[in-house]
Amino acid sequence: MEHKNAWLAYDEPQLAELEKLATDYIDFISANKTERECVTETVAAAKAAGYIDLNDAIKAGKALKPGDKVYVNCMGKAVMHFHLGEAPLTEGVNIVGAHIDSPRID
């Protein structure tokens, strides 16, 4: 059985977008060699995108509502982002998971 090469399905604008994504990722892993550096950069990007620290929200007594965006920094070694939806949890959730593999070799 022969499979088509997925690269052949992309048009020029999609290839340009993919190239930008790859370049941004190279820049990210070049600047962030450890999980702690990755978390610091990720938290900065989350704040820039309108996320707030969940612990700060709890301390301030802020009631979260649909549409709110929060993050949790777990001891500087992991970070979780939450974008609260409109539907109740009983209708399900969408979860995207990833992990930090520091791209360095010791």
Side-chain angles (χ1 to χ4, degrees):
M1 177 197 262
E2 187 174 333
H3 296 283
K4 286 188 175 184
N5 185 326
W7 289 101
L8 300 176
Y10 291 112
D11 60 20
E12 287 302 317
Q14 289 172 317
L15 288 171
E17 184 178 347
L18 185 57
E19 181 65 29
K20 170 98 172 74
L21 177 68
T23 300
D24 289 348
Y25 181 66
I26 290 168
D27 292 344
F28 179 84
I29 63 172
S30 295
N32 302 287
K33 301 289 188 206
T34 68
E35 66 274 359
R36 291 185 188 275
E37 291 173 330
C38 289
V39 167
T40 299
E41 182 66 24
T42 301
V43 166
K47 287 179 180 179
Y51 283 76
I52 60 169
D53 187 321
L54 178 60
N55 292 318
D56 291 344
I58 291 169
K59 286 178 189 171
K62 178 180 177 7
L64 299 178
K65 61 188 182 321
D68 282 347
K69 300 185 292 186
V70 295
Y71 70 89
V72 177
N73 182 340
C74 304
M75 299 181 295
K77 297 178 82 176
V79 64
M80 294 176 282
H81 299 83
F82 305 91
H83 190 160
L84 281 63
E86 301 283 334
L89 288 176
T90 56
E91 292 186 26
V93 297
N94 292 321
I95 299 174
V96 176
H99 60 90
I100 300 169
D101 271 340
S102 300
R104 64 191 172 113
I105 300 176
D106 290 335

